[in-house]
């Protein structure tokens, strides 16, 4: 039993993931679904096929602890939930799935993309009996993703992204001129929500580090100061919790440049660590779509070591929300020991510190801080 | 003074016996009932009654169980004397008896009278006659009703008639003939159940056999009737076979135009009960069974069961009044006559009824669905529309062709509506089938070797896109 | 001259800061309580009938901060703290955000709003805009279309990819060499609509610049829009949801916000036209009933309050009428509701036809 | 048997009179009190008391008001007889009287005795003596306390001593000398208030004048004392000038090391009251005044006023126990003696105390601030730091120099901390001044923009991250 369980961890067999498909392939999957349903329905032993959806419950999440690689991740295993037309609990959801599939099919046919809000309105008008809230639409979309195993983007739904990139990087989208990300201003270059486009963008870089920044403002500061001139690096931010496109982009970077360490600069608080962990391990919430984008992110700061750099008055007491996040983090099996220690220190001291607190040493201190940390190899 | 209740009851017993004698005959038989009101001069008036049949001849044992129908308070209306003449096919003479029902000592009851010669004629038959005081007005209706019900069994070899005479003038004579409509009915070889089905259909179409022909004001087509039947045999039949509970249910939509036909039951359901080929008051056990059926699983909500002296009506809460349900139960022993009277068990009755309901469901998709299934069915048009939409909006002609051929359509002849309709009907059928069949897991849309599979519920992780690691 | 905030160069501002510091020190040395006079501004009052001066840039009063009151002392304290940081920013020629400033002394400032107020006080005191203090904010706004410009020497070439969203530049004041072939500027409330237009390649078929503030517009987006208007002299159209929040956004673009009333001249878009969605559009374009949501109590209260704003009555009575209509009908709807019948309705029908009719004198009222 | 309460009271009156006679003399005077316990043989023991002064000589009117100190229950301890010898500078003889205080009829009270010749000697003085039964143990403490308080007035020309003799042996004789510390005290020309200030300081430093020299365990420097004084004259002084209420308040930090010095009052505040240059129980009106002072506006919260038979202690709620506050009130008429005893009005007392408190505030910035001002002051370190920061972080050296010289610093010698400190003190001073100055009308010259609700923040609402996929 034990052996079998561990076997699972090292194979990709038992992971469920959503592919990024070009429109015609996504359409083909929908068509196969229709055909399968019809076949069984009109067979000699007629039945209405159940929809097997990847279970998106926490109980179906597994941890892959990298032993052979440095990358650990969280993924959904192959346990299913079943949506059945004849089950009173799931009947409506069953119909919703088909409604969403139909709508996405039309959108894909038109070669368009919609926002989830537009999708909501379309469905609200088309099938008001089934969709009365955005939430129902979002859930059904997730169901379709879990059924067809293709990403939401592949279904013709636009993803908004807050990701920005700047620094020693050049991006060339197909058919366009290359963009030098060191010259695109302090606002940085926006990471596209178009995953296909991201996948086809040519990335070149002479950077030696990728620095992941939690906050937009810090990103802006570092870029304005052109810190990448001193530390050959690329800055990436998702302005908080990462979206799929930003994770996808970071993952592509890590594949393209496997030797660049990815260093995360986050607040010294549980939310900061949670953001780091989302980049590092993925999340069940992104379910099928994103486990493969886990990256070997290292924690450069802020950390407990840095507290002596910060004036006492800049330490703010932990809020209840922080403690909640900390608790939840600690309960995660994947969290490594030295991260746990940092968390415990936060809880022990009851304090949190923002990256901005380092500004007491001057606005140009951040760059020095990062450089020092890199030189001393102080990342975990 | 009218002839009061006890007498009709006795009469129905006598008629029933006569009917059985006809039934068991292999020839065409006739059962004639004569009511003769000799009003002239007599006071109280005298009614003489004669029940004559051309059946197999009677066995005196039949009269053993008859009891004098006693009025507790009231004048004596009858001397208790039955005059019986009977002969079997093989007999040479017609035997005559006087049977005094008012006599308690049984061996004094029957007094043999001089026989009548048959003079070599080959025939069989019985005539029972009696004379009572009082008018016969209260007698006619129950007897007619009895005959009408009798017809439901559709025994093809028995013709029944009733003659009611007032005095001696032929102008004051009414004759009622009850005969099975030969061309519409199953042949002699049909089973009892087949006959019952056909009989109940006729019964409905003729407004409880009140009419000679189908009421076309209420029913435009015989085909609009939905008929289901079921048979249930007791467990012990294995040892002593023969006893059977047969159930027929007819559900009919009244025509829109005559929904308020005065003869309809206003949405009430009449339950006819036959005990050994004879209309009979419904026994308590069947009444209980009717109450205990899980009607809800057939989408019906039983409001009440009204038992009006053996005439049972079910009332529904959720059924439109223009839909009429008619139920007939028949409990009999194949080896008739048997003196031993039996009653079906409650589960047997339930089983019979359910089997008839299931039969209906099977034959008519989307019919008699449980409220659960009906709710699901309400989603089906939408689902079918989406599926048809997916098929027809596809630009991939191969896919479209595949779908249509899977559904059995010829690509060239196809209209979207027809496909949508077909899918809809198919799905509804499956839903109905799922209901009656014990649930067996439906196949998955994609064949996957999933680990555990469970029905999903709302506990799943909220599908926030920008969700964090913490949701793990 | 009076009341207009002149963009002062850094030296000038530093000098003002030093003068200010010196005067405080002098007062203290003499044992006098320093008195800091802060003007008050507003861009509207809540009396539509009033004979008010809200439309002028003049201060509408002033407060004098002294060390007599706890609250005022605290305000002076915060003002000085922030001023110290501002002086450093200016001397080092760096930019910081209000967030940056807040996080430098989070426990002293207690809340972002404290810093915001101190910055506002400083701007008023020195008669300058926030960006003069080198306090900038990383905006949320996006822009696409027929536009090319430089920000602090770095090129932004939206023309190269007409349907790609570019972030609004952070250092709006350092934007230069703005070049555009656009015929108009379209401001949309939401990112979703912006994305719709991008997806529909709207800018390929329409010579325009599309800007969104992603909801309630931040200062950089408004400042950037204003700058585009000034440099390009193009008409500006605004497309918002037909709900009170959408109207509030529209009004903020057009008239500026109360909070930044002291710097309204550099933030508002005075010639902006309201393109839609109007309450009447729901009928004209057949918005399905289920897409019309009833106004909530909160919505109604908000709308009623907005109807009182004097600038509507004075400058945009037609807007006010539309707002009244919304209140009367009691329903609201989002822009997306217009495109339920066809995804490209907005870009192919609605916006072009609205913009065409804009040029007609009759509907030009709105 | 001890000499009980009434006797000390009488004695203090007699001493007080003697003191006044010395005070009014322009020469150095001496006031000697002899208590002689003649324990040998007598039972009950006898104590003979003599109060001798070298003052201006007495006026018999002084004795008019004396009353025989009556014990309600108890043995008679005194015959009521005072033996008085007195002479003025200009008299040729010393007059002797016996004054029987037990005699009600006033003209029988005083009995002239034969005078004693002065033989041309020029001196003045008075000796009052009496003999009472009982031991004198209970007498000594109040008398010492009285003399100690007397010293607070710091009248430089009166030396007081007390000799206590047990029997006749000189070894059993104790002598206490109470003399104003001449080199530390103001000269003769100093005002009464100046002397009271100095006296109260000494009183505090010497632990209520218990010590001969300052207690260095508790107080390291005289300068650590904060002294404030105030004078209040009644309104009617304009017509009949002369009456004055003088108040001195001394606030002292005990040294950290001896905060728990047994002699300290544990944070309680002793209030000394002098009525016409004589320690006196505090009158009710002054007590009321103490209670009615708005201590809060000086940052003090009065917990209670304890009146222990004329010794009044104030207790504070919010004062650290190592801070000691000492208050002395002196109510007198410049033209002494006046027979008319007066009391100050309540407002007068209040005015005097407040004026002393305000004096303290003025002299010591940031001291005795109201809680409101102290709240304001809590911002001062910050303000000072920011201002110093603005000065020192400026890259403009001229500006820096300007500011420093405005503040009175030499540019070369300047440390940032010193400047910050100085600014801080300056600001506190301003705040303190603001307090004492009548509040000007708040200079708000604007009209309110109305209280409409602001829904939105103009700024990046970067409040924790968006977690929704809804792009709106
Ligand atoms: Mg954070
Ligand atoms: Mg909106």
């Amino acid at each position: 039993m034990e052996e079998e369980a561990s076997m699972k961890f090292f194979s990709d067999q038992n992971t469920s993931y959503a592919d990024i498909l070009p429109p015609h392939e996504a359409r083909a999957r929908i068509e196969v679904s229709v055909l399968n349903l019809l076949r069984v329905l009109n067979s000699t032993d007629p039945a209405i096929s159940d929809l097997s959806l990847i279970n998106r419950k926490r109980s179906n999440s597994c941890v892959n602890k990298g032993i052979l690689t440095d990358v650990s991740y969280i993924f959904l295993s192959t346990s299913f939930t079943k949506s059945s037309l004849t089950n009173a609990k799931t009947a409506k959801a069953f119909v919703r799935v088909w409604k969403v599939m139909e709508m996405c099919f039309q959108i894909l046919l038109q070669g368009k993309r919609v926002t989830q809000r537009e999708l909501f309105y379309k469905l609200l008008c088309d099938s008001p009996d089934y969709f009365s809230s955005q939430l129902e639409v979002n859930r059904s979309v997730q169901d379709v993703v879990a059924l067809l195993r293709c990403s939401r983007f592949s279904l013709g739904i636009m993803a908004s992204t807050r990701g920005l990139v700047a620094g020693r990087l050049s991006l060339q989208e197909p058919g366009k001129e290359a963009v030098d990300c060191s010259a695109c201003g302090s606002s940085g270059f926006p990471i596209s929500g178009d995953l296909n486009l991201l996948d086809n963008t040519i990335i070149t870089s002479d950077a030696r580090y990728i620095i992941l920044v939690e906050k937009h403002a810090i990103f802006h500061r570092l870029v304005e100061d052109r810190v990448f001139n001193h530390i050959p690096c690329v800055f990436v931010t998702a302005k908080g919790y990462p979206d799929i496109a930003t994770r996808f982009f970071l993952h592509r970077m890590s594949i393209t440049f496997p030797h660049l360490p990815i260093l995360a600069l986050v607040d010294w608080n549980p939310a900061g660590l949670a953001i780091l962990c989302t980049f590092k391990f993925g999340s069940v919430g992104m379910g099928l779509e994103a486990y493969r984008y886990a990256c070997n992110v290292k924690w450069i700061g802020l950390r407990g070591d840095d507290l002596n750099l910060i004036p006492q008055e800049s330490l703010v007491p932990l809020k209840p929300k922080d403690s909640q996040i900390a608790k939840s983090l600690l309960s995660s099996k994947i969290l490594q020991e030295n991260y746990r220690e940092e968390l415990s220190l936060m809880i022990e001291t009851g304090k949190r510190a923002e990256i901005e607190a380092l500004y007491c040493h001057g606005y140009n201190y951040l760059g020095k801080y990062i450089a020092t940390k890199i030189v001393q190899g102080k990342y975990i | 003074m009218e002839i009061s209740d006890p007498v009709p009851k006795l009469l129905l017993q006598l008629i029933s016996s006569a009917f059985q004698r006809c039934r068991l005959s292999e020839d065409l038989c006739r059962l004639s009932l004569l009511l003769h009101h000799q009003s002239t001069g007599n006071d109280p008036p005298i009614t003489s009654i004669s029940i004559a049949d051309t059946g197999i001849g009677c066995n005196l044992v039949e009269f053993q169980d008859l009891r004098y129908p006693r009025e507790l308070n009231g004048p004596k209306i009858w001397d208790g004397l039955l005059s019986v003449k009977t002969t079997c096919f093989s007999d040479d003479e017609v035997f005559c008896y006087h049977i005094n029902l008012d006599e308690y000592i049984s061996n004094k009851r029957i007094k043999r009278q001089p026989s009548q010669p048959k003079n070599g004629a080959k025939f069989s038959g019985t005539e029972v006659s009696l004379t009572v005081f009082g008018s016969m007005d209260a007698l006619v209706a129950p007897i007619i009703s009895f005959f009408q019900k009798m017809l439901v069994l559709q025994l093809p070899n028995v013709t029944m008639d009733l003659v009611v005479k007032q005095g001696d003038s032929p102008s004051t004579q009414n004759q009622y003939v009850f005969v099975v409509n030969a061309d519409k009915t199953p042949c002699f070889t049909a089973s009892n159940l087949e006959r019952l089905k056909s009989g109940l259909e006729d019964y409905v179409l003729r407004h409880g056999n009140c009419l000679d022909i189908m009421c076309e004001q209420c029913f435009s087509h015989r085909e609009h009737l939905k008929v289901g039947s079921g048979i249930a045999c007791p467990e012990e039949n294995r040892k002593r076979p023969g006893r059977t509970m047969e159930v027929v249910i007819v559900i009919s939509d009244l025509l829109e135009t005559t929904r308020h036909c005065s003869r309809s039951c206003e949405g009430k359901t009449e339950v006819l009960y036959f005990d050994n080929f004879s209309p009979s008051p419904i026994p308590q056990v069947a009444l209980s069974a009717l109450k205990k059926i899980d009607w809800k699983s057939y989408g019906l909500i039983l409001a009440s069961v009204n038992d009006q002296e053996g005439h049972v009506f079910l009332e529904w809460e959720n059924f439109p009044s223009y839909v009429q349900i008619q139920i007939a139960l028949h409990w009999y022993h194949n080896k008739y006559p048997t003196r031993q009277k039996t009653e079906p068990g409650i589960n047997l009755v339930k089983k019979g009824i359910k089997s008839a309901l299931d039969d209906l469901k099977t034959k008519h998709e989307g019919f008699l669905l449980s409220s659960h299934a009906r709710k699901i069915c309400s989603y089906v048009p939408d689902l079918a529309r989406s599926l048809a939409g997916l098929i027809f909006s596809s630009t991939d002609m191969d896919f479209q062709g595949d779908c249509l051929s899977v559904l059995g359509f010829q690509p060239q002849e196809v209209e979207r509506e027809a496909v949508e309709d077909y899918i809809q009907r198919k799905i509804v059928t499956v839903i109905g089938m799922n209901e009656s069949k014990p649930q067996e897991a439906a196949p998955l849309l994609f064949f996957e070797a999933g680990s555990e599979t469970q029905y999903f519920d709302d506990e799943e992780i909220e599908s926030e896109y920008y969700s964090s690691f913490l949701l793990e | 001259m009076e009341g207009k905030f002149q963009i002062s160069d850094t030296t000038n501002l530093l000098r003002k800061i030093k003068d200010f510091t010196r005067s405080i020190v002098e007062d203290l040395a003499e044992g006098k309580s320093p008195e800091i006079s802060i003007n008050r501004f507003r861009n509207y009052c809540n009396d539509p009938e009033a004979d008010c001066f809200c439309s002028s840039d003049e201060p509408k009063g002033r407060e004098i901060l002294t060390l007599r009151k706890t609250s005022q002392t605290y305000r002076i304290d915060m003002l000085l703290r922030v001023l110290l940081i501002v002086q450093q920013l200016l001397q080092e020629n760096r930019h910081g955000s209000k967030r940056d400033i807040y996080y430098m002394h989070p426990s002293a400032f207690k809340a972002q709003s404290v810093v915001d107020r101190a910055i506002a006080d400083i701007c008023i005191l020195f008669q300058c805009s926030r960006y003069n203090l080198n306090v900038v904010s990383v905006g949320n706004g996006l822009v696409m279309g027929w536009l090319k410009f430089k920000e602090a020497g770095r090129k932004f070439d939206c023309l190269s990819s007409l349907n790609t969203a570019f972030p609004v530049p952070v250092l709006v004041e350092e934007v230069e060499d703005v070049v555009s072939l656009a015929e108009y500027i379209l401001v949309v409330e939401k990112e979703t609509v912006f994305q719709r237009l991008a997806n529909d390649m709207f800018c390929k078929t329409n010579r325009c610049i599309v800007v969104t503030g992603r909801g309630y517009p931040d200062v950089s987006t408004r400042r950037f829009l204003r700058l585009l208007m000034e440099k390009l002299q193009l008409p500006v159209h605004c497309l918002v949801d037909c709900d009170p929040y959408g109207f509030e956004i529209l009004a903020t673009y057009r008239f500026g916000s109360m909070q930044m009333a002291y710097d309204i001249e550099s933030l508002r878009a005075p010639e902006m036209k309201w393109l839609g969605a109007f309450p009447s559009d729901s009928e004209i374009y057949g918005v399905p009933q289920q897409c019309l949501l009833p106004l909530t109590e909160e919505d109604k209260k908000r709308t009623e309050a907005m109807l009182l704003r004097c600038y509507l009555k004075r400058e945009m009575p037609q807007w006010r009428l539309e707002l009244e209509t919304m209140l009367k009908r009691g329903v609201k709807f989002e822009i997306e509701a217009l495109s339920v019948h066809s995804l490209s309705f907005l870009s192919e029908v609605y916006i072009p036809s609205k913009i065409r009719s804009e040029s007609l004198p009759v509907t030009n009222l709105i």
Side-chain angles (χ1 to χ4, degrees), chain A residues 214-215 240 266-269 271-272 275 352-356, chain C residues 103:
Chain A
E214 171 187 345
K215 286 174 165 163
V266 296
D267 287 341
W268 193 67
N269 61 28
I275 287 165
R352 45 180 279 175
E354 316 270 347
I355 308 169
E356 283 91 336
Chain C
Y103 280 119

Side-chain angles (χ1 to χ4, degrees), chain B residues 175-193:
Chain B
Q175 182 170 14
Y176 305 87
V177 181
F178 304 90
V179 60
V180 171
N181 190 355
D183 46 313
K184 295 266 182 164
T185 51
C187 65
F188 282 74
T189 55
S191 71
N192 288 326
L193 184 60

Side-chain angles (χ1 to χ4, degrees), chain B residues 336-370:
Chain B
Y336 191 80
T338 142
R339 271 208 55 204
Q340 199 184 347
K341 221 186 142 115
T342 58
E343 273 196 356
I346 184 164
N347 286 327
L348 196 74
V349 181
K350 278 174 71 180
K351 202 171 146 196
I353 295 172
K354 281 177 76 171
S355 132
L357 287 166
D358 289 341
D359 185 39
L360 264 168
K361 249 172 122 153
T362 315
K363 285 197 254 166
H364 302 278
E365 79 230 358
F367 198 67
L368 285 188
L369 290 180
S370 69

Side-chain angles (χ1 to χ4, degrees), chain B residues 79-99:
Chain B
D79 56 5
L81 200 73
L82 293 179
S83 161
V84 178
K85 292 178 186 171
T86 186
T87 183
C88 293
F89 199 77
S90 53
D91 288 340
D92 295 331
E93 48 186 7
V94 175
F95 300 100
C96 299
Y97 304 92
H98 279 177
I99 300 171

Side-chain angles (χ1 to χ4, degrees), chain A residues 148-204:
Chain A
L148 299 180
R149 309 268 189 102
C150 70
S151 68
R152 182 188 319 230
F153 178 79
S154 310
L155 293 171
I157 297 168
M158 283 187 229
S160 80
T161 159
R162 301 183 176 269
L164 295 174
V165 60
R168 299 234 196 158
L169 187 75
S170 158
L171 298 174
Q172 185 173 17
E173 292 174 6
K176 291 202 181 144
E177 269 176 50
V179 177
D180 177 2
C181 292
S182 66
C184 51
S186 53
S187 39
F189 185 79
I191 295 172
S192 168
D194 185 337
L195 303 186
N196 281 329
L197 182 70
L198 282 182
D199 211 13
N200 295 320
T201 300
I202 298 165
I203 310 179
T204 49

